Amino acid sequence: MDRYIVGIVLRPHGVRGAIKIEPLTDDISRFKKLTKVYIENACYKVLNAQVSKNEVYLTLDTISDRNAAELLRNKKIEIDKQDAVPLEEGRYFIVDLISSDIVVNGRCIGKLIDVLQNRSADVYVVEMPNRKTAMFPALKKLITNVDIENKTITLDEKVFEEVVVYED
């Protein structure tokens, strides 16, 4: 079954097994709608979700004390793909972008291996055939087409040459 990572357990919260989450999603209110999550392939029923500004706290069934919550520290929180929030047109799940061919001027320059997220713009990391990496911001004027089904991302050559950074 396909799953998306929506957060990482930061630490226990209180003595009754609640956990503080680092959300890895644009819309943290989505946690209020979850009925179940997966942590290391174990399914947990969500008993309570508290969301404020940038903080998320979850209470899960079978995690009833601080010691049990501590065992979840630094673990990824996943949801089933069908439970994902629908995205606006032009927005994509990172997992769907990874491994896409990056095409510039009709030729594949490499594969997308990572997306670094920050507040201003995501940064795409591409592994090139020579094992070097290229990085560029995910700008609307740069990305001319995203084809999730065929795993290709097409870039404007001129803009690409202006913004790309190469690493050894």
Side-chain angles (χ1 to χ4, degrees):
M1 170 134 330
D2 288 337
R3 294 191 185 132
Y4 290 144
I5 299 169
V6 294
I8 297 174
V9 178
L10 292 175
R11 61 178 170 78
H13 179 73
V15 296
R16 296 194 176 132
I19 52 176
K20 183 176 181 178
I21 306 301
E22 176 186 348
L24 300 177
T25 177
D26 291 342
D27 179 11
I28 67 170
S29 66
R30 64 127 31 259
F31 285 91
K32 291 180 181 180
K33 299 174 184 153
L34 291 178
T35 57
K36 67 181 177 191
V37 296
Y38 297 88
I39 302 174
E40 293 194 326
N41 290 322
C43 184
Y44 296 92
K45 181 179 176 186
V46 177
L47 301 178
N48 186 33
Q50 295 178 349
V51 176
S52 65
K53 284 198 178 183
N54 296 322
E55 297 180 336
V56 176
Y57 300 93
L58 294 181
T59 304
L60 307 174
D61 70 329
T62 72
I63 307 296
S64 58
D65 62 39
R66 186 175 187 86
N67 292 335
E70 183 64 45
L71 296 174
L72 302 179
R73 186 185 290 262
N74 298 320
K75 306 284 189 226
K76 295 174 185 170
I77 297 178
E78 299 177 310
I79 61 166
D80 289 324
K81 190 173 184 174
Q82 71 261 17
D83 293 335
V85 174
L87 297 177
E88 301 170 14
E89 187 173 328
R91 309 262 327 191
Y92 306 95
F93 292 108
I94 291 172
V95 69
D96 292 336
L97 296 173
I98 296 297
S99 298
S100 292
D101 289 332
I102 303 300
V103 177
V104 178
N105 198 22
R107 130 185 114 79
C108 178
I109 64 160
K111 287 212 179 279
L112 184 69
I113 59 170
D114 199 5
V115 176
L116 309 175
Q117 294 184 290
N118 63 52
R119 298 218 185 269
S120 56
D122 290 349
V123 176
Y124 287 13
V125 180
V126 178
E127 184 176 64
M128 300 169 66
N130 60 6
R131 292 288 185 210
K132 289 187 177 185
T133 57
M135 296 190 304
F136 57 87
L139 304 173
K140 287 181 184 179
K141 66 181 183 177
L142 170 62
I143 300 171
T144 59
N145 187 51
V146 176
D147 185 344
I148 295 295
E149 197 171 298
N150 293 309
K151 301 289 275 183
T152 59
I153 300 172
T154 306
L155 307 179
D156 178 281
E157 182 179 21
K158 184 178 178 189
V159 178
F160 177 72
E161 291 302 327
E162 291 174 5
V163 300
V164 68
V165 175
Y166 295 99
E167 288 187 341
D168 291 331

